[in-house]
Amino acid sequence: MSDSPYDVGFARMEALAQEHSDTAVGRNEAATRKDLIDRLFFEVLQWPRNLCTVEESHEGTYTDYIFGNPEKKLIVEAKKEGLHFELPIDKSSRVVALGSLMRKNGNLERALKQVSGYCTSRGVALAAVCNGRQLVVFIGSRTDGVPPIEGRALVFRSLEEMLSDFVNLWNGLAYPAIDSKQILHVLTTDTLPPPPAKLSRTLVHFPGVKRRNDLELELRILGEIFLQDLVKSSELESDFLEECYCSSGALSQYALVSKEILRNRYSASGEGKTKSVTAARDKSGASKELLNAVIAKSVTQRPVILLGDVGVGKTSFINHLVSVEAKEELERGIVLYVDFGREPALRTDLEKYVLDSFERQLREKQGIDLHGDSFVRGVYHGDLVAMRKGIYGFLQESDPLAYKMKEAEFLQSKIDNQSGHLKKTVEHLISGERRTVVAFLDNIDQRQDDFQEQVFLIAQSLAETWPITCFVTMRPSTYSKSRRQGSLSAYQNRVFTISPPRVDLVIKKRLEYALNKLIDGGVLALSSEGISVESHMLREYIEVLIDSLERNSSLAECLDNVSAGNVRDALDLLTNFVGSGHVDTGKILEIKIKTGEYFIPLHEFLRAVIFGDNQYYSPETSFVANVFDIITPRGSEHFLTPFLLDHCWRSSQTSEAEKGYIAESDARSSMQDLGYLDQQIDAALDRAVRSKMLDYAAADDSAPTRVRITQRGAYILQRLMSQFVYLDAVVTDVPFVDDVARLEIRGNVHRIDERLERGKFFLSYLDRQWDTAPRVPNGFDWEVVSLKAKHGIAEVERRIKTRRESNLF
């Protein structure tokens, strides 16, 4: 009696898992297909090859595998074996929320969205992503109102898991079982109905663009110049670094999370477990160890890693280090700098790009003609001497012209080898001219993890084979991940951590610098940029900003916490305010000129922060998240995200929390105890992490996943939720589960009295939903927030009445 298809498939799966039991990786996509994915689907799961289309083109896009003919039933996106996915550690859970998967791995998120798009455009229900050893299966095209990426997935973390749980693998994806559609039932069981549509669906041209008048447009240009572009001006660079640089590592006095969390922002992710990790600065400035590395003292053949989160000021640190703190040491030095933040997103040959950049800088900044005859002969003097003693040496006397041609051919072959020629050039500059050469590969942290690893390998090759010190900047999360399973796992590197400076000081210094650069007549000129801004209002406006930030601590608190110490975000926030269409700029300047002062109130600043350039609030572009959003038609869910933030905030202050982090399982369990469903909790966690209200510790296979509240999350929880300006903004992004309220609430209102009435209506709606919500002793209490918000609205109404009575409104 012959074996059943299931038995045959199991035996083949057993053989496949045994043959590839090693964890070595490195196959490219083509090899992964041939060695693993083809065998998994065609041999184990027994799909006939004639029912599979490979690399099908549809409207300009390509898929890897489409199974089924004529009815297409499954699309598989193949990834190379080395592209490891961070999948949940809890092996007891085979079905996982896609939101949870995507926030753990950017590579997987891109692949899931890519194959989901293929399914939607082709009308194929089932989707999968596979790198040979790991498999994620989900519904890529849905008709139940649930977005594909908000659904659930069947997850296999390894070939061994596919073998141990072969029945689910077979029932879900095998050709003999695919028509049973059992996997569709598994992935849609307990799917909750979606909530009603949001008010934003009723708004024409949502989210729209907020119009500005001529004055606001001029000031917006100005804001971008004096907050963003001054630092890029080569003619002001040295002066700017001297006057505006703020030391990293200073702890904020406005942060709403504990100073212990700020102080240990890197150690909690595992970076502090080795003695090779050192702070880049100490009380006296750049650390002695770092300065020694710059001037090539006590350097091993490893790149030096500058570790810091996005936006903490790593580029400013490098510029200040080179131009100020190590200026004397680098007096005869050559600094080669590559900024990956300003280049195109796609580079097919990163090594060549780096070498081209080095060559251009040596030519343009050092005046070195790498192809000039005298310079090339100097670099290869020893080789030319050896050549005279070689087989063509006799030509020097018998045929001098032929000998010179041989020399030229020899030197040309050296020049054609770009990497070798540059390396030889650097060796010549160091040994022959006694010059120090230092290379910085910067802003790779703005790219994806695999890009960062490629650049690190280039840095490793330079440090190991060239006589230079090579610095490379990295994100803590990438560093931690790569130490465990990527490029860094093979090396012991010297690491210097760069903490963010105090945001309020950075902003203050930049504003004062711009003010000091104003010359007679109110003109700020950047000749190298071809820009000259003339405005008699310029000085007045800068003075308003400086005075307001100094005397209104709530503004500094907002900037610091919403940016969460990210200097780049803080500068964007302030730039958004300058010339914002949501702010009455003319009124500000009129009062300043008439009275000599104007202090920006928090609510004015918040409108620019929350709305940005949009007419209406959009969670996709705003720095501030909507904590009342829901995925089900259950009113109690409006308070799930506040409950979650509050739990993480209170837990971060207990002795059980490690650097502010708590186990994600603890947060989940607490929300489950309140009666919330897994799908709701997944969505709230995903929303909080994407909007930077919560963040995760770098994943560690040997430890549970940990999460903690951020400064932004704490600020929204403790400050913004009770602010009228916040409620007024997010109301259009809230699904109203009450049919009557949904009919009565208006989205398109602009007059302040109409907005105040809508705000009161919104509060009364949330008050009614609170009646259905759970209670947490000594925890989040909506009644307290609501009462404070009502007092705030009453105060706004009182001020409006006073102004109207005084004819000031």
Side-chain angles (χ1 to χ4, degrees), residues 504-566:
D504 58 317
L505 293 182
V506 172
I507 298 299
K508 179 183 178 182
K509 284 192 173 185
R510 289 215 178 185
L511 289 171
E512 290 177 342
Y513 182 76
L515 190 60
N516 291 334
K517 288 299 175 184
L518 289 173
I519 60 175
D520 293 342
V523 180
L524 175 64
L526 298 177
S527 59
S528 64
E529 304 291 336
I531 295 173
S532 179
V533 177
E534 298 187 39
S535 172
H536 64 283
M537 300 293 189
L538 175 54
R539 181 182 294 273
E540 304 287 351
Y541 202 83
I542 296 177
E543 289 176 350
V544 166
L545 290 170
I546 294 174
D547 292 344
S548 297
L549 287 169
E550 286 182 348
R551 298 176 62 173
N552 188 352
S553 61
S554 65
L555 294 183
E557 181 186 64
C558 175
L559 268 173
D560 190 276
N561 287 284
V562 174
S563 68
N566 185 317

Side-chain angles (χ1 to χ4, degrees), residues 187-198:
L187 295 177
T188 55
T189 299
D190 298 328
T191 296
L192 298 171
K198 300 176 179 180

Side-chain angles (χ1 to χ4, degrees), residues 110-140:
R110 290 189 298 278
L112 291 171
K113 290 182 177 179
Q114 183 178 13
V115 72
S116 174
Y118 295 156
C119 285
T120 300
S121 63
R122 292 166 169 82
V124 180
L126 207 56
V129 174
C130 185
N131 62 9
R133 296 177 182 274
Q134 298 172 300
L135 178 65
V136 178
V137 188
F138 68 105
I139 303 175

Side-chain angles (χ1 to χ4, degrees), residues 8-9 13 86 113 131 142 259 315 335 352 371 373 386 400 417 438 514 563 588 594 624 633 658 789:
V8 172
M13 185 71 244
E86 290 289 331
K113 290 182 177 179
N131 62 9
R142 305 183 66 137
K259 285 184 168 52
T315 298
V335 176
K352 185 173 188 333
H371 296 175
D373 181 69
N417 179 4
V438 183
S563 68
I588 292 175
K594 184 180 297 184
V624 176
E658 182 183 355

Side-chain angles (χ1 to χ4, degrees), residues 740-759:
V740 175
R742 189 165 60 255
L743 291 174
E744 293 184 13
I745 192 74
R746 295 173 58 197
N748 191 23
V749 298
H750 300 287
R751 288 171 45 195
I752 183 62
D753 52 347
E754 293 177 328
R755 288 167 37 218
L756 287 167
E757 287 302 315
R758 186 179 65 178

Side-chain angles (χ1 to χ4, degrees), residues 657-672:
E658 182 183 355
K659 314 304 183 188
Y661 286 100
I662 62 171
E664 181 191 346
S665 59
D666 173 64
R668 285 181 173 277
S669 177
S670 296
M671 298 303 103
Q672 289 170 342

Side-chain angles (χ1 to χ4, degrees), residues 638-756:
H638 286 306
F639 308 101
L640 170 55
T641 299
F643 275 132
L644 179 62
L645 294 175
D646 179 70
H647 176 78
C648 292
W649 181 71
R650 287 185 292 111
S651 299
S652 71
Q653 302 176 68
T654 64
S655 58
E656 289 79 15
E658 182 183 355
K659 314 304 183 188
Y661 286 100
I662 62 171
E664 181 191 346
S665 59
D666 173 64
R668 285 181 173 277
S669 177
S670 296
M671 298 303 103
Q672 289 170 342
D673 290 343
L674 294 177
Y676 291 108
L677 303 175
D678 287 342
Q679 296 98 313
Q680 295 173 310
I681 298 169
D682 285 336
L685 274 168
D686 182 53
R687 186 184 308 118
V689 172
R690 281 190 290 108
S691 58
K692 300 182 181 179
M693 295 188 290
L694 296 177
D695 70 1
Y696 280 93
D700 188 339
D701 290 338
S702 63
T705 305
R706 295 171 296 154
V707 64
R708 73 178 174 193
I709 194 168
T710 64
Q711 288 177 249
R712 184 179 297 178
Y715 186 74
I716 293 174
L717 175 70
Q718 298 180 52
R719 298 286 191 270
L720 278 189
M721 284 182 63
S722 60
Q723 291 276 343
F724 165 68
V725 66
Y726 177 74
L727 297 170
D728 182 47
V730 302
V731 64
T732 57
D733 189 58
V734 174
F736 282 72
V737 301
D738 183 321
D739 292 339
V740 175
R742 189 165 60 255
L743 291 174
E744 293 184 13
I745 192 74
R746 295 173 58 197
N748 191 23
V749 298
H750 300 287
R751 288 171 45 195
I752 183 62
D753 52 347
E754 293 177 328
R755 288 167 37 218
L756 287 167

